[in-house]
Amino acid sequence: MFSDQLKIFSGSSNPLLAERICKELDVPLGKIKLSRFKCGEIYCHYEETIRNCDVFLVQTFSHPINEHFMELLVMMDAAKRASARTINLVIPYYGYSRQERKAAPREPITAKLVADLLNSAGAHRVITIDLHAPAIQGFFNIPVDHLTALDLLSSHIKSQNIKDLIVVSPDAGGVTRAENLANVLEAPIAMMFKKRYAHNEATVTHVVGDVEGKTPIIMEDLIDTGKTIVNVVEGLKERGANDVFICATHPVFSGPALQRLDHPNIREVIITDSIAIPQDHSSRFKVLSVAGLLSNAIRIIKDGGSISSLFKYGGI
């Protein structure tokens, strides 16, 4: 049982996940008022004392990402001015993570900008899950606990008793996370090569590895529009693969992604609740909760001890 010095508050992005975390820790969810002025400005008021408390703010960077990001900054400022002892950010999905480097001249590195803003606003620690690029941890001047949902996802896959499975990386950049899953499942690995025409636009050019007659497990850190992943699924089917399973930590799901992924050649889409999705989704979607993972991290941070077991794979 924790002392009254631990306070957990939720932003508006994923309150259900915050409630699940509090239930795991057996602490009440903090009372906070978040509202908007008519002009769109964000207002925040903590409705209980947080003086000398360790405050954990749960806010994922889901759509509308800029609203949720600004809301978090306002929550941090209010906590700082209310004399919180520490301000700890629980950001299951770190938005802007795909802009972690300059891929062309005159581009921003927005993932670094976001880190700078969180640093400047007064964060003492960040807890996140499966960053698109693990190097983003180095953008911060504060501790970053980079957790992984690999155990959660792999345990579910093992429970399905899939025959002749093969783990597939949909591109060269995802080989490491696919290799981590393949090692856990003791399965072979294949890799797709894609030609990218624009953001969220790509087609499969060829496949490295034998997928014919096998059941692919496509491993991703996030799914955005679903267009590219469906191209990958169809490319695997053209090469003789069975219907596929898709694994991803973060269901960003922009536009008609849910409808695209309700595809006849997809047996199951395994995701987490790092981002809230509509409750009326297809039975093809299996949502696993990261509340236990995050609550364990908070417990260890508060009580002391080693958190390394929660990110032993270094991010998937």
Side-chain angles (χ1 to χ4, degrees):
M1 188 71 180
F2 293 106
S3 71
D4 292 338
Q5 290 182 319
L6 171 68
K7 302 280 188 177
I8 299 176
F9 297 92
S10 176
S12 61
S13 62
N14 200 343
L16 182 58
L17 176 59
E19 290 172 7
R20 287 170 176 162
I21 292 170
C22 288
K23 185 176 181 180
E24 291 276 349
L25 294 170
D26 194 25
V27 298
L29 183 62
K31 296 178 181 178
I32 186 172
K33 179 181 179 181
L34 293 167
S35 60
R36 303 289 191 274
F37 290 97
K38 292 294 185 182
C39 63
E41 292 178 6
I42 297 167
Y43 172 78
C44 169
H45 176 245
Y46 290 93
E47 298 183 320
E48 56 188 270
T49 182
I50 56 174
R51 184 179 295 274
N52 293 325
C53 292
D54 296 310
V55 172
F56 288 80
L57 305 179
V58 182
Q59 182 81 314
T60 202
F61 289 168
S62 57
H63 179 78
I65 181 172
N66 299 322
E67 278 281 312
H68 290 149
F69 178 59
M70 189 64 198
E71 187 179 79
L72 180 59
L73 293 177
V74 172
M75 292 168 68
M76 292 169 64
D77 190 69
K80 181 170 62 176
R81 295 178 190 280
S83 301
R85 179 166 60 191
T86 61
I87 300 172
N88 307 276
L89 309 182
V90 181
I91 307 175
Y93 170 60
Y94 184 88
Y96 286 102
S97 60
R98 285 172 285 179
Q99 298 184 51
E100 87 288 4
R101 61 187 175 86
K102 289 181 67 173
R106 300 176 295 281
E107 285 187 340
I109 304 179
T110 318
K112 176 64 166 66
L113 173 63
V114 170
D116 288 344
L117 291 169
L118 295 175
N119 278 319
S120 298
H124 291 91
R125 178 183 291 270
V126 171
I127 304 170
T128 190
I129 303 175
D130 291 330
L131 289 166
H132 182 68
I136 291 172
Q137 297 169 83
F139 293 171
F140 288 88
N141 298 320
I142 55 176
V144 176
D145 296 313
H146 182 205
L147 313 180
T148 176
L150 180 61
D151 282 344
L152 196 64
L153 297 169
S154 61
S155 294
H156 176 75
I157 294 170
K158 286 179 180 178
S159 71
Q160 302 301 296
N161 296 315
I162 304 167
K163 302 298 182 183
D164 299 318
L165 64 84
I166 184 169
V167 178
V168 177
S169 173
D171 53 41
V175 169
T176 299
R177 71 176 70 94
E179 186 178 24
N180 288 335
L181 179 62
N183 289 338
V184 174
L185 299 177
E186 298 181 342
I189 187 171
M191 182 177 68
M192 315 286 286
F193 280 86
K194 297 182 295 189
K195 186 172 183 179
R196 189 170 295 281
Y197 301 98
H199 298 303
N200 304 120
E201 295 282 348
T203 57
V204 174
T205 56
H206 56 282
V207 179
V208 175
D210 181 15
V211 298
E212 186 174 356
K214 296 183 179 178
T215 302
I217 311 291
I218 300 174
M219 189 63 191
E220 276 280 31
D221 59 321
L222 63 89
I223 302 174
D224 192 348
T225 65
K227 188 179 293 186
T228 300
I229 207 81
V230 166
N231 286 339
V232 170
V233 169
E234 292 173 349
L236 288 168
K237 289 296 293 183
E238 289 171 4
R239 289 159 177 82
N242 300 327
D243 289 348
V244 308
F245 288 79
I246 297 172
C247 273
T249 302
H250 308 297
V252 178
F253 290 174
S254 303
L258 278 167
Q259 290 75 27
R260 283 197 183 108
L261 293 168
D262 194 15
H263 191 282
N265 297 133
I266 297 176
R267 288 177 59 182
E268 192 170 55
V269 181
I270 307 161
I271 51 178
T272 79
D273 60 352
S274 66
I275 297 173
I277 68 169
Q279 294 295 311
D280 59 347
H281 56 74
S282 162
S283 59
R284 205 182 300 274
F285 294 83
K286 177 63 178 179
V287 183
L288 309 175
S289 182
V290 291
L293 181 65
L294 293 169
S295 62
N296 283 338
I298 293 171
R299 186 181 289 111
I300 291 169
I301 291 165
K302 185 63 179 168
D303 288 348
S306 173
I307 202 170
S308 60
S309 62
L310 301 182
F311 50 87
K312 59 189 175 185
Y313 296 106
I316 63 173

